[in-house]
Amino acid sequence: MEGSESQIYHERQRLQFCLLHSLNNLFQDKDAFTRESLNSIAEKLVADDPNRETWTTPLSLLLKPHHNTLTGNYDVNVMIAALEGKGKSVAWHDKRHGASSIDLGADALMGIVMNVPVKRYGGLWRSRHWVVMRKINGVWYNLDSDLLVPKPFKDEGEVKGFLDQNLSSGSEVLLVNNA
């Protein structure tokens, strides 16, 4: 298994570009998305919004409605539009049902994206972080950009336990399907 992990593409965290890293890790391709392509998607979302004028504030140059222009930190709308642009569909998982209702063996399931709450600097800074999981060569991996290397799960039970643990701590789970 050690040799197979070295063949897995895994981007590491930089600034707040965890969505960019997660998408590239999901597609196993460093060029699946770029900062520029995600910025373009975010700008298109603003341009297409009929209420865009209500978002103008003195900080609008840096803090855009769907991302922070300096650090990244893209929102779920950018993620969904990016995935749909690659022919994927995204379904929010109903957390009331837990992970047991997710069919990890479904042919259509490309991967799982989680948005997890994080606390840093002794709890003074709270934010959210994008994490992706994907089955590669029959093994599910945690491809979190905060990890040094991809972490394989031993079986689907461990994957569901990990998902349930994250759901109970306020994470959102989204299922990415091949459309």
Side-chain angles (χ1 to χ4, degrees):
M1 180 160 342
E2 191 173 318
S4 67
E5 288 174 37
S6 64
Q7 298 171 1
I8 295 172
Y9 181 74
H10 181 246
E11 279 186 18
R12 296 283 319 282
Q13 185 67 31
R14 195 179 94 251
L15 296 174
Q16 290 181 313
F17 290 104
C18 53
L19 180 62
L20 172 63
H21 306 314
S22 291
L23 291 172
N24 287 343
N25 289 342
L26 177 67
F27 281 88
Q28 290 292 285
D29 179 359
K30 70 180 180 81
D31 297 318
F33 294 94
T34 64
R35 183 177 176 179
E36 293 75 23
S37 67
L38 293 183
N39 286 348
S40 176
I41 291 168
E43 294 299 327
K44 183 172 179 351
L45 289 169
V46 171
D48 292 347
D49 190 316
N51 298 316
R52 66 183 171 270
E53 289 81 22
T54 63
W55 294 347
T56 304
T57 70
L59 296 175
S60 292
L61 290 175
L62 295 177
L63 302 175
K64 303 286 185 176
H66 299 289
H67 76 294
N68 179 309
T69 57
L70 294 178
T71 63
N73 204 17
Y74 300 94
D75 74 6
V76 69
N77 300 295
V78 174
M79 183 198 68
I80 291 171
L83 289 168
E84 288 176 348
K86 296 270 189 184
K88 307 302 175 191
S89 65
V90 180
W92 288 85
H93 174 66
D94 185 343
K95 63 175 70 180
R96 295 173 296 177
H97 300 292
S100 63
S101 65
I102 300 173
D103 181 2
L104 295 174
D107 289 337
L109 183 62
M110 178 189 192
I112 299 170
V113 178
M114 289 191 308
N115 190 251
V116 301
V118 293
K119 295 179 191 175
R120 301 191 198 259
Y121 310 114
L124 295 175
W125 185 64
R126 295 171 190 245
S127 185
R128 297 193 68 89
H129 177 68
W130 293 106
V131 175
V132 70
M133 299 163 37
R134 181 170 176 180
K135 192 175 193 177
I136 302 169
N137 298 324
V139 177
W140 277 95
Y141 285 89
N142 180 347
L143 299 169
D144 184 351
S145 59
D146 276 342
L147 295 174
L148 292 175
V149 295
K151 181 187 178 300
F153 291 97
K154 66 180 180 186
D155 56 27
E156 288 187 3
E158 189 177 27
V159 175
K160 289 184 178 191
F162 180 75
L163 287 167
D164 280 333
Q165 177 184 10
N166 279 280
L167 284 166
S168 69
S169 66
S171 294
E172 297 294 334
V173 172
L174 299 103
L175 307 175
V176 180
N177 294 296
N178 296 309

PDB file of all heavy atoms in Angstrom, residues 4-5 17 34 44 57 65 68 80 102 104 120 122 136 141 151 165 168:
ATOM      1  N   SER A   4       1.457   2.553  -3.475  1.00  0.00           N
ATOM      2  CA  SER A   4       0.294   3.137  -4.142  1.00  0.00           C
ATOM      3  C   SER A   4       0.015   4.546  -3.646  1.00  0.00           C
ATOM      4  O   SER A   4      -0.464   5.385  -4.385  1.00  0.00           O
ATOM      5  CB  SER A   4      -0.944   2.251  -3.952  1.00  0.00           C
ATOM      6  OG  SER A   4      -1.334   2.230  -2.595  1.00  0.00           O
ATOM      7  N   GLU A   5       0.330   4.836  -2.366  1.00  0.00           N
ATOM      8  CA  GLU A   5       0.107   6.182  -1.836  1.00  0.00           C
ATOM      9  C   GLU A   5       0.999   7.200  -2.531  1.00  0.00           C
ATOM     10  O   GLU A   5       0.612   8.343  -2.713  1.00  0.00           O
ATOM     11  CB  GLU A   5       0.352   6.207  -0.327  1.00  0.00           C
ATOM     12  CG  GLU A   5      -0.731   5.508   0.456  1.00  0.00           C
ATOM     13  CD  GLU A   5      -0.424   5.412   1.932  1.00  0.00           C
ATOM     14  OE1 GLU A   5       0.158   6.370   2.468  1.00  0.00           O
ATOM     15  OE2 GLU A   5      -0.762   4.398   2.527  1.00  0.00           O
ATOM     16  N   PHE A  17      -6.613  28.308   0.427  1.00  0.00           N
ATOM     17  CA  PHE A  17      -7.001  27.730  -0.857  1.00  0.00           C
ATOM     18  C   PHE A  17      -7.403  26.260  -0.722  1.00  0.00           C
ATOM     19  O   PHE A  17      -7.181  25.455  -1.615  1.00  0.00           O
ATOM     20  CB  PHE A  17      -5.877  27.884  -1.882  1.00  0.00           C
ATOM     21  CG  PHE A  17      -5.679  29.304  -2.323  1.00  0.00           C
ATOM     22  CD1 PHE A  17      -4.620  30.054  -1.844  1.00  0.00           C
ATOM     23  CD2 PHE A  17      -6.579  29.901  -3.187  1.00  0.00           C
ATOM     24  CE1 PHE A  17      -4.446  31.369  -2.237  1.00  0.00           C
ATOM     25  CE2 PHE A  17      -6.418  31.221  -3.586  1.00  0.00           C
ATOM     26  CZ  PHE A  17      -5.350  31.958  -3.099  1.00  0.00           C
ATOM     27  N   THR A  34      -7.403  26.046 -11.222  1.00  0.00           N
ATOM     28  CA  THR A  34      -6.376  26.997 -10.809  1.00  0.00           C
ATOM     29  C   THR A  34      -7.041  28.100 -10.002  1.00  0.00           C
ATOM     30  O   THR A  34      -8.270  28.228  -9.995  1.00  0.00           O
ATOM     31  CB  THR A  34      -5.692  27.648 -12.028  1.00  0.00           C
ATOM     32  OG1 THR A  34      -6.681  28.413 -12.754  1.00  0.00           O
ATOM     33  CG2 THR A  34      -5.044  26.606 -12.936  1.00  0.00           C
ATOM     34  N   LYS A  44     -18.194  35.287 -12.022  1.00  0.00           N
ATOM     35  CA  LYS A  44     -19.376  35.012 -12.842  1.00  0.00           C
ATOM     36  C   LYS A  44     -20.615  34.857 -11.962  1.00  0.00           C
ATOM     37  O   LYS A  44     -21.697  35.319 -12.322  1.00  0.00           O
ATOM     38  CB  LYS A  44     -19.163  33.769 -13.698  1.00  0.00           C
ATOM     39  CG  LYS A  44     -20.346  33.475 -14.621  1.00  0.00           C
ATOM     40  CD  LYS A  44     -20.050  32.375 -15.582  1.00  0.00           C
ATOM     41  CE  LYS A  44     -21.180  32.018 -16.519  1.00  0.00           C
ATOM     42  NZ  LYS A  44     -22.485  32.584 -16.334  1.00  0.00           N
ATOM     43  N   THR A  57     -19.561  47.055  -0.492  1.00  0.00           N
ATOM     44  CA  THR A  57     -19.135  47.655   0.780  1.00  0.00           C
ATOM     45  C   THR A  57     -17.738  48.217   0.571  1.00  0.00           C
ATOM     46  O   THR A  57     -17.094  47.941  -0.447  1.00  0.00           O
ATOM     47  CB  THR A  57     -19.100  46.601   1.911  1.00  0.00           C
ATOM     48  OG1 THR A  57     -18.011  45.703   1.659  1.00  0.00           O
ATOM     49  CG2 THR A  57     -20.406  45.842   2.023  1.00  0.00           C
ATOM     50  N   PRO A  65     -18.220  38.402  -2.578  1.00  0.00           N
ATOM     51  CA  PRO A  65     -19.315  37.585  -2.058  1.00  0.00           C
ATOM     52  C   PRO A  65     -19.004  36.083  -1.997  1.00  0.00           C
ATOM     53  O   PRO A  65     -19.498  35.395  -1.129  1.00  0.00           O
ATOM     54  CB  PRO A  65     -20.456  37.857  -3.030  1.00  0.00           C
ATOM     55  CG  PRO A  65     -20.148  39.179  -3.618  1.00  0.00           C
ATOM     56  CD  PRO A  65     -18.646  39.255  -3.674  1.00  0.00           C
ATOM     57  N   ASN A  68     -12.342  35.372  -0.894  1.00  0.00           N
ATOM     58  CA  ASN A  68     -11.437  36.431  -0.476  1.00  0.00           C
ATOM     59  C   ASN A  68     -10.351  36.508  -1.536  1.00  0.00           C
ATOM     60  O   ASN A  68      -9.673  35.510  -1.805  1.00  0.00           O
ATOM     61  CB  ASN A  68     -10.843  36.080   0.901  1.00  0.00           C
ATOM     62  CG  ASN A  68      -9.875  37.121   1.402  1.00  0.00           C
ATOM     63  OD1 ASN A  68      -8.957  37.530   0.711  1.00  0.00           O
ATOM     64  ND2 ASN A  68     -10.074  37.542   2.640  1.00  0.00           N
ATOM     65  N   ILE A  80     -19.697  24.135  -6.201  1.00  0.00           N
ATOM     66  CA  ILE A  80     -20.749  23.491  -6.987  1.00  0.00           C
ATOM     67  C   ILE A  80     -20.639  23.886  -8.462  1.00  0.00           C
ATOM     68  O   ILE A  80     -20.703  23.037  -9.349  1.00  0.00           O
ATOM     69  CB  ILE A  80     -22.136  23.804  -6.406  1.00  0.00           C
ATOM     70  CG1 ILE A  80     -22.285  23.102  -5.046  1.00  0.00           C
ATOM     71  CG2 ILE A  80     -23.246  23.384  -7.360  1.00  0.00           C
ATOM     72  CD1 ILE A  80     -23.520  23.506  -4.260  1.00  0.00           C
ATOM     73  N   ILE A 102     -25.142   6.560   3.205  1.00  0.00           N
ATOM     74  CA  ILE A 102     -24.321   6.842   2.023  1.00  0.00           C
ATOM     75  C   ILE A 102     -23.828   5.525   1.437  1.00  0.00           C
ATOM     76  O   ILE A 102     -23.219   4.715   2.129  1.00  0.00           O
ATOM     77  CB  ILE A 102     -23.116   7.737   2.376  1.00  0.00           C
ATOM     78  CG1 ILE A 102     -23.588   9.071   2.945  1.00  0.00           C
ATOM     79  CG2 ILE A 102     -22.224   7.957   1.145  1.00  0.00           C
ATOM     80  CD1 ILE A 102     -22.468   9.942   3.482  1.00  0.00           C
ATOM     81  N   LEU A 104     -21.234   3.997  -0.301  1.00  0.00           N
ATOM     82  CA  LEU A 104     -19.847   4.254  -0.690  1.00  0.00           C
ATOM     83  C   LEU A 104     -19.412   3.426  -1.897  1.00  0.00           C
ATOM     84  O   LEU A 104     -18.397   3.716  -2.516  1.00  0.00           O
ATOM     85  CB  LEU A 104     -18.909   3.985   0.486  1.00  0.00           C
ATOM     86  CG  LEU A 104     -19.087   4.912   1.687  1.00  0.00           C
ATOM     87  CD1 LEU A 104     -18.198   4.461   2.846  1.00  0.00           C
ATOM     88  CD2 LEU A 104     -18.788   6.353   1.314  1.00  0.00           C
ATOM     89  N   ARG A 120      -8.500  27.792  15.329  1.00  0.00           N
ATOM     90  CA  ARG A 120      -7.045  27.954  15.352  1.00  0.00           C
ATOM     91  C   ARG A 120      -6.684  29.048  16.344  1.00  0.00           C
ATOM     92  O   ARG A 120      -7.532  29.824  16.765  1.00  0.00           O
ATOM     93  CB  ARG A 120      -6.519  28.280  13.961  1.00  0.00           C
ATOM     94  CG  ARG A 120      -6.868  27.194  12.933  1.00  0.00           C
ATOM     95  CD  ARG A 120      -6.112  27.392  11.642  1.00  0.00           C
ATOM     96  NE  ARG A 120      -6.733  26.650  10.560  1.00  0.00           N
ATOM     97  CZ  ARG A 120      -6.303  25.491  10.101  1.00  0.00           C
ATOM     98  NH1 ARG A 120      -5.267  24.922  10.623  1.00  0.00           N
ATOM     99  NH2 ARG A 120      -6.922  24.884   9.110  1.00  0.00           N
ATOM    100  N   GLY A 122      -5.756  28.873  19.500  1.00  0.00           N
ATOM    101  CA  GLY A 122      -6.400  28.723  20.796  1.00  0.00           C
ATOM    102  C   GLY A 122      -7.889  29.022  20.770  1.00  0.00           C
ATOM    103  O   GLY A 122      -8.456  29.417  21.783  1.00  0.00           O
ATOM    104  N   ILE A 136      -9.694   5.350  -4.522  1.00  0.00           N
ATOM    105  CA  ILE A 136      -8.693   5.223  -5.578  1.00  0.00           C
ATOM    106  C   ILE A 136      -8.166   3.789  -5.559  1.00  0.00           C
ATOM    107  O   ILE A 136      -7.710   3.314  -4.515  1.00  0.00           O
ATOM    108  CB  ILE A 136      -7.531   6.223  -5.362  1.00  0.00           C
ATOM    109  CG1 ILE A 136      -8.071   7.662  -5.329  1.00  0.00           C
ATOM    110  CG2 ILE A 136      -6.461   6.061  -6.439  1.00  0.00           C
ATOM    111  CD1 ILE A 136      -7.070   8.690  -4.863  1.00  0.00           C
ATOM    112  N   TYR A 141      -9.512   7.169   0.527  1.00  0.00           N
ATOM    113  CA  TYR A 141      -8.450   7.993   1.089  1.00  0.00           C
ATOM    114  C   TYR A 141      -9.011   9.316   1.602  1.00  0.00           C
ATOM    115  O   TYR A 141      -9.896   9.903   0.986  1.00  0.00           O
ATOM    116  CB  TYR A 141      -7.388   8.326   0.031  1.00  0.00           C
ATOM    117  CG  TYR A 141      -6.486   7.182  -0.302  1.00  0.00           C
ATOM    118  CD1 TYR A 141      -6.833   6.286  -1.311  1.00  0.00           C
ATOM    119  CD2 TYR A 141      -5.295   6.991   0.380  1.00  0.00           C
ATOM    120  CE1 TYR A 141      -6.009   5.220  -1.632  1.00  0.00           C
ATOM    121  CE2 TYR A 141      -4.468   5.924   0.063  1.00  0.00           C
ATOM    122  CZ  TYR A 141      -4.824   5.050  -0.931  1.00  0.00           C
ATOM    123  OH  TYR A 141      -4.018   3.998  -1.249  1.00  0.00           O
ATOM    124  N   LYS A 151      -4.286   9.795   3.651  1.00  0.00           N
ATOM    125  CA  LYS A 151      -4.472   8.776   4.682  1.00  0.00           C
ATOM    126  C   LYS A 151      -5.487   7.746   4.187  1.00  0.00           C
ATOM    127  O   LYS A 151      -6.649   8.065   3.985  1.00  0.00           O
ATOM    128  CB  LYS A 151      -4.979   9.416   5.970  1.00  0.00           C
ATOM    129  CG  LYS A 151      -5.172   8.412   7.095  1.00  0.00           C
ATOM    130  CD  LYS A 151      -5.844   9.049   8.288  1.00  0.00           C
ATOM    131  CE  LYS A 151      -6.091   8.060   9.387  1.00  0.00           C
ATOM    132  NZ  LYS A 151      -6.923   6.948   9.040  1.00  0.00           N
ATOM    133  N   GLN A 165     -18.333  11.086  12.748  1.00  0.00           N
ATOM    134  CA  GLN A 165     -17.623  11.921  13.720  1.00  0.00           C
ATOM    135  C   GLN A 165     -17.633  13.379  13.262  1.00  0.00           C
ATOM    136  O   GLN A 165     -17.875  14.289  14.053  1.00  0.00           O
ATOM    137  CB  GLN A 165     -16.192  11.412  13.878  1.00  0.00           C
ATOM    138  CG  GLN A 165     -15.345  12.240  14.815  1.00  0.00           C
ATOM    139  CD  GLN A 165     -13.903  11.756  14.853  1.00  0.00           C
ATOM    140  OE1 GLN A 165     -13.484  10.917  14.055  1.00  0.00           O
ATOM    141  NE2 GLN A 165     -13.138  12.292  15.780  1.00  0.00           N
ATOM    142  N   SER A 168     -21.170  14.951  13.472  1.00  0.00           N
ATOM    143  CA  SER A 168     -21.558  15.291  14.842  1.00  0.00           C
ATOM    144  C   SER A 168     -20.861  16.553  15.352  1.00  0.00           C
ATOM    145  O   SER A 168     -21.326  17.181  16.291  1.00  0.00           O
ATOM    146  CB  SER A 168     -21.295  14.121  15.790  1.00  0.00           C
ATOM    147  OG  SER A 168     -19.914  13.911  15.945  1.00  0.00           O
TER     148      SER A 168
END
